[in-house]
Amino acid sequence: MSSLRFSGPVLPDGEVRDLYVVGETITLEPQSGAETAAEGWIVPGLVDAHCHIGLDDHGGVDDAEAEAQAIENRDAGALLLRDCGSAADTSWIHGRDDLPRLIRAGRHIARTKRYIRNYAHEVEPPSLVETVVQEAQRGDGWVKLVGDWISRDTGDLAPSFPADDFAAAIAAAHEHGAKVTAHCFGEAVLPVLIDAGIDCIEHGTGLSTDLAQTMAARGIALVPTVMQIDKFPQYAEAGRDKFPRYSEHMTDLHARQRDTIMAAHELGVALYAGSDGGGVTRHGNIAGEVIAMHRLGMPADYALGAASWRAREWLGWNATLDEGAPADFVVYPRDPLLDLTVLHEPSVVVLRGKVVA
């Protein structure tokens, strides 16, 4: 079997090594006749921990468009995708060796007429547990709830379901072997979900110090989607006339975003990088999310680890490129820890042992 050689500093430790790729795995043993494929800084395959393959701003898309989205992420170095809700069935991607590894959360689960049209299963409380069980069985170990959205009754963000129903839904998902995450913009829904034992929070702009401390103590992760939060002023403006309270609330959440997210980081909440690609946000920009996290104040190694070795470990994949590890990695022409913008410039992308970009 032919082999390829990749040479350079290997993150996260930065030790200069030769990696040999034989089949789909890495060996550190020199291979006679190995072709040198690339030299540079080698990073374990990037992870987009919040994206939406098979989704655009109108809802689900066909397989051809979903394939194009997956390739866009792959070519940007994102080789492991945690799909955080999609109206399309993308399970077929598991059979494609040339597409990123995919962890699906099934379809969003929202309250009736309380989310983006055509995106979610829209249900009332009596049907919540049943729908969660269905998606737990269909997905890849995750379920995605819409924790809060605009309520026409209050004109502002409000929890999608009563506390007891959220608790029953999370317990049911856990009983069926699935973890649960939830879209959360505002404050009110967070203590309900955290008390109920949720596994992850998406966005998290309403977090308080006390809640962040609880998350850290219980190992509840946060995917802050910083680039998505940067769109809050647009959402506030769009809702200003019809929902002025919501508009003011979103403006305030945006103004406090840095303090909120950095407080969670400093208190020890595990943060992971998610671009929120899909819908109105383009795919293939996990680099932009890493840079955005760094700009908030996170060290470069933390921000990059949130989209590479730490995120891979969190999702149950090899965190380091050691003997026998899957050959999923990206080679860059410069040290990303000194210049994160190089994440936009991968020299070589290797997936399952093959150079794919």
Side-chain angles (χ1 to χ4, degrees):
M1 182 180 294
S2 61
S3 59
L4 297 174
R5 170 181 169 269
F6 299 84
S7 182
V10 180
L11 296 185
D13 61 24
E15 180 183 348
V16 176
R17 295 202 295 271
D18 289 333
L19 302 184
Y20 295 89
V21 173
V22 180
E24 296 188 7
T25 60
I26 290 168
T27 180
L28 305 181
E29 294 293 328
Q31 301 294 302
S32 176
E35 175 188 350
T36 298
E39 297 181 352
W41 279 260
I42 304 171
V43 179
L46 300 187
V47 177
D48 192 332
H50 183 131
C51 69
H52 304 279
I53 300 295
L55 195 66
D56 69 9
D57 51 355
H58 300 295
V61 301
D62 62 21
D63 289 355
E65 178 59 26
E67 177 186 36
Q69 294 173 351
I71 290 172
E72 198 168 5
N73 286 290
R74 180 201 70 188
D75 291 355
L79 305 182
L80 177 60
L81 308 177
R82 175 174 168 259
D83 192 294
C84 241
S86 179
D89 179 2
T90 56
S91 58
W92 58 270
I93 288 177
H94 292 317
R96 288 280 298 273
D97 288 346
D98 60 327
L99 298 181
R101 302 182 192 272
L102 185 63
I103 298 171
R104 296 157 41 251
R107 192 169 187 173
H108 300 78
I109 303 171
R111 188 73 174 265
T112 308
K113 296 184 179 179
R114 291 275 302 278
Y115 198 50
I116 303 168
R117 185 178 298 177
N118 299 326
Y119 271 36
H121 292 300
E122 297 188 9
V123 302
E124 288 300 291
S127 300
L128 178 60
V129 168
E130 176 187 356
T131 308
V132 163
V133 169
Q134 169 189 305
E135 293 308 293
Q137 294 170 337
R138 291 177 56 196
D140 299 324
W142 284 87
V143 171
K144 172 69 175 293
L145 302 176
V146 176
D148 62 4
W149 198 249
I150 302 172
S151 165
R152 287 171 171 78
D153 294 336
T154 66
D156 198 359
L157 296 170
S160 301
F161 298 97
D164 288 348
D165 294 291
F166 270 130
I170 291 169
H174 289 167
E175 289 170 6
H176 286 80
K179 296 180 178 180
V180 183
T181 194
H183 162 107
C184 302
F185 280 169
E187 299 90 347
V189 73
L190 287 165
V192 170
L193 295 173
I194 290 168
D195 286 348
I198 200 165
D199 302 282
C200 183
I201 297 293
E202 311 297 320
H203 317 301
T205 38
L207 279 170
S208 65
T209 298
D210 288 348
L211 287 174
Q213 289 174 330
T214 302
M215 287 179 66
R218 296 183 182 178
I220 301 170
L222 172 64
V223 181
T225 65
V226 179
M227 293 189 299
Q228 181 63 266
I229 296 170
D230 286 340
K231 294 182 172 66
F232 278 20
Q234 299 170 225
Y235 304 153
E237 183 59 32
R240 190 172 305 282
D241 292 338
K242 191 172 182 180
F243 300 111
R245 287 181 59 190
Y246 162 81
S247 179
E248 291 175 9
H249 194 176
M250 294 295 281
T251 298
D252 179 59
L253 291 170
H254 180 259
R256 294 187 283 115
Q257 67 152 326
R258 183 190 181 281
D259 290 344
T260 300
I261 295 171
M262 288 307 297
H265 167 62
E266 290 160 7
L267 288 166
V269 176
L271 273 65
Y272 300 103
S275 72
D276 212 351
V280 298
T281 302
R282 72 180 180 89
H283 283 278
N285 194 23
I286 190 59
E289 184 64 16
V290 173
I291 292 166
M293 293 174 74
H294 179 53
R295 286 175 178 163
L296 287 185
M298 295 173 215
D301 62 340
Y302 187 92
L304 180 53
S308 181
W309 52 89
R310 288 195 306 104
R312 295 181 69 84
E313 182 176 27
W314 175 53
L315 293 172
W317 284 87
N318 288 69
T320 55
L321 300 172
D322 297 322
E323 182 73 32
D328 295 353
F329 56 86
V330 190
V331 183
Y332 296 98
R334 303 187 303 281
D335 185 353
L337 297 183
L338 297 179
D339 177 13
L340 286 171
T341 66
V342 77
L343 298 178
H344 288 297
E345 310 167 35
S347 300
V348 169
V349 177
V350 179
L351 174 63
R352 297 183 178 91
K354 296 179 181 178
V355 175
V356 292

